[in-house]
Amino acid sequence: MGAKAITVTSGKGGVGKTTTTANLGVALARLNKRAVLIDADIGLRNLDVILGLENRIVYDLVDVVESRCKLRQAMIRHKQFTDLYLIPAAQTRDKTAVSPSDMVEVVNKLRQDFDFILIDSPAGIERGFRNAVAPADEIMVITNPEVSAVRDADRIIGLIEAERKGPAQLVINRVKPEMIRRGDMLSADDVTDILAIRLLGIVPEDEMVIPAANSGVPVTLNDSSRAGTAFRNIARRLAGEKVDFMQLEPPLGAFRRFVQMLLSGRQ
Amino acid sequence: MAGFWDRILGRTRTAGSAETAKERLQFVLLHDRISLPPERLKMMKEEIIAVISKYVAVTGSDVDIALKQRDRHSNMLIAEIPFLKGIQPPRQDTVDDEIPLLTHEQDGDVNLSEVHDTRADSLNSELPPEATSSNKDQDLDRASEDGMSD
């Protein structure tokens, strides 16, 4: 049974594609799934840093495509998980070094040895995006509950359908429940209504993401992190488990719980 | 009283900027998806009113032509075009036959049939099969038989 290849994309930059890819990779490894992560952002290498593997890079994706090394040589094994690998991006300026068919070929070679192949797409809608989606079996669109991110996500969803890789699934990242309650942030329902694709996960804004990136230890390894828990839940859903969405509302105080109990009795 | 408790429990969503964001997004995405920016829609609306005005008198200010979305793939144009009350514009017999239910005493609303968002559809509906023939004169004769404007 071959691997499932999932491309993580967004349209807009900075919404959390790399963070999501890294954390899902680690979360899947914790579920004993074999995973390989591919950084498809040529020229702007990032996935290695988030995973803490930046000083282990010898070869990269472009070296593989241009046959300067074997595929295995470019695969960096994670320190902690023996079945988690990274193929880093090149830091060249030539974005045409890789073509969509190159990507398909690389991914096909990986299929038999892994359960999941996660491809971290660059931002934008040009060649980097097309390279990243070419080998995908499924596409995960990351967005933030914010107007420009949602608009770009919509555009990318349209392009995904045009490439016949739809329907995509949605992850809403950096959600702030308190702001939603105040009416100052789009809710998950709002975003899902607008984009009209299936919701795969909701990840709350979590300060712990930054120190995690600082130390190169993905936040999902921190069991007390809410974002980490959300990533773990998404990984479980990818693995076929049915997982309820996290209760993101701030927990009610005792008085409010009492009142809510009274009210539900009346209803 | 229910409103008070709802607020305590944080159930009401106050009319904050999120409502505005949702409305603005729905508006802009509709135009994005069918590549019809609001300015072009405005031009199209003016041309539609001009064409209809050749046949019946309409009030430009009461006309509402807007994009509506059913889901990602089903977008349509909905038009409400009230006719002027009490004024009987000069009409030919053929036009009377086409709008049998309207008299000069009533306001009439006309809903344009759905205009689908794929360009191919709209092109197909505009060109009758005969238009592809090479004989131009024949085309003009056929066009006037079909009641199309020149």
Side-chain angles (χ1 to χ4, degrees):
Chain A
M1 172 83 191
K4 181 180 279 190
I6 301 174
T7 294
V8 179
T9 191
S10 64
K12 186 139 199 301
V15 299
K17 293 180 290 304
T18 300
T19 303
T20 300
T21 308
N23 277 281
L24 288 184
V26 167
L28 286 166
R30 278 175 105 186
L31 294 171
N32 292 318
K33 304 291 181 190
R34 301 165 301 164
V36 57
L37 312 183
I38 304 177
D39 188 348
D41 197 350
I42 297 180
L44 291 174
R45 186 187 272 175
N46 277 312
L47 197 44
D48 57 318
V49 156
I50 301 298
L51 288 165
L53 298 173
E54 68 277 6
N55 51 11
R56 308 256 299 275
I57 297 178
V58 179
Y59 295 108
D60 57 53
L61 182 62
V62 172
D63 291 326
V64 173
V65 163
E66 293 179 352
S67 303
R68 276 191 291 277
C69 71
K70 295 207 186 339
L71 181 53
R72 270 278 154 181
Q73 291 176 286
M75 288 166 60
I76 303 167
R77 208 183 72 188
H78 191 267
K79 302 162 278 202
Q80 200 175 330
F81 300 101
T82 54
D83 279 322
L84 178 62
Y85 288 84
L86 165 70
I87 299 176
Q91 283 288 52
T92 67
R93 280 159 53 197
D94 183 9
K95 296 227 172 218
T96 61
V98 174
S99 72
S101 55
D102 290 331
M103 291 295 293
V104 171
E105 207 181 304
V106 166
V107 166
N108 283 344
K109 285 189 195 151
L110 293 164
R111 283 184 187 275
Q112 64 198 30
D113 294 325
F114 291 95
D115 302 308
F116 288 94
I117 303 169
L118 300 185
I119 301 147
D120 186 12
S121 164
I125 54 174
E126 298 95 29
R127 188 185 178 108
F129 161 75
R130 289 199 304 277
N131 282 351
V133 302
D137 302 320
E138 277 176 26
I139 304 198
M140 190 184 301
V141 173
I142 314 290
T143 194
N144 296 156
E146 176 273 315
V147 289
S148 38
V150 172
R151 188 188 193 170
D152 289 0
D154 190 76
R155 181 106 166 81
I156 220 81
I157 292 167
L159 289 176
I160 290 167
E161 287 169 357
E163 303 254 340
R164 301 188 184 285
K165 294 280 185 175
Q169 293 191 89
L170 185 66
V171 169
I172 308 175
N173 191 22
R174 307 194 69 174
V175 165
K176 298 177 87 159
E178 185 51 41
M179 283 188 73
I180 294 175
R181 213 170 54 70
R182 288 200 313 261
D184 280 336
M185 179 178 270
L186 293 163
S187 69
D189 282 343
D190 289 335
V191 176
T192 322
D193 281 345
I194 292 167
L195 294 177
I197 61 172
R198 216 183 91 194
L199 184 63
L200 173 60
I202 308 172
V203 183
E205 174 80 40
D206 188 343
E207 273 192 354
M208 298 191 197
V209 169
I210 295 183
N214 291 343
S215 10
V217 178
V219 78
T220 197
L221 290 169
N222 180 344
D223 286 336
S224 61
S225 156
R226 287 176 17 111
T229 304
F231 287 128
R232 277 194 294 284
N233 289 351
I234 295 171
R236 286 162 65 194
R237 290 181 200 119
L238 288 179
E241 204 184 317
K242 186 174 180 326
V243 184
D244 287 339
F245 289 116
M246 277 166 74
Q247 178 57 258
L248 287 182
E249 290 298 317
L252 298 181
F255 175 66
R256 286 165 80 178
R257 267 187 273 126
F258 174 62
V259 170
Q260 189 160 52
M261 190 189 75
L262 282 183
L263 223 58
S264 54
R266 202 194 295 171
Q267 286 159 3
Chain B
M1 194 58 177
F4 171 69
W5 287 121
D6 282 3
R7 274 201 307 282
I8 289 277
L9 295 169
R11 277 211 191 120
T12 53
R13 226 250 299 265
T14 53
S17 53
E19 290 280 343
T20 310
K22 188 172 188 183
E23 286 162 11
R24 290 176 65 214
L25 273 167
Q26 282 168 329
F27 176 82
V28 83
L29 288 185
L30 205 41
H31 291 85
D32 277 359
R33 284 171 188 165
I34 66 170
S35 297
L36 188 64
E39 274 307 303
R40 276 180 61 78
L41 175 63
K42 190 157 160 259
M43 283 165 55
M44 182 171 85
K45 178 175 161 177
E46 283 161 12
E47 288 178 39
I48 290 173
I49 294 173
V51 166
I52 295 186
S53 300
K54 282 183 183 176
Y55 296 86
V56 287
V58 301
T59 41
S61 51
D62 290 337
V63 170
D64 179 35
I65 298 178
L67 296 173
K68 292 249 177 352
Q69 176 188 285
R70 217 188 268 139
D71 55 49
R72 273 201 82 82
H73 304 286
S74 175
N75 302 299
M76 62 189 72
L77 200 64
I78 305 277
E80 254 189 38
I81 307 182
F83 296 164
L84 275 180
K85 218 183 219 181
I87 295 176
Q88 180 74 5
R91 291 189 210 165
Q92 299 163 10
D93 290 332
T94 50
V95 178
D96 272 332
D97 289 343
E98 286 163 13
I99 316 176
L101 297 176
L102 298 167
T103 67
H104 64 271
E105 273 127 23
Q106 292 171 349
D107 273 347
D109 283 4
V110 173
N111 275 335
L112 288 183
S113 53
E114 294 180 7
V115 176
H116 291 288
D117 59 345
T118 58
R119 272 198 201 142
D121 276 358
S122 61
L123 282 175
N124 285 339
S125 62
E126 281 166 16
L127 291 173
E130 296 89 345
T132 56
S133 76
S134 52
N135 190 328
K136 261 195 184 176
D137 289 335
Q138 274 184 326
D139 285 345
L140 287 176
D141 286 343
R142 286 206 184 95
S144 57
E145 277 168 14
D146 287 342
M148 281 167 55
S149 59
D150 38 40

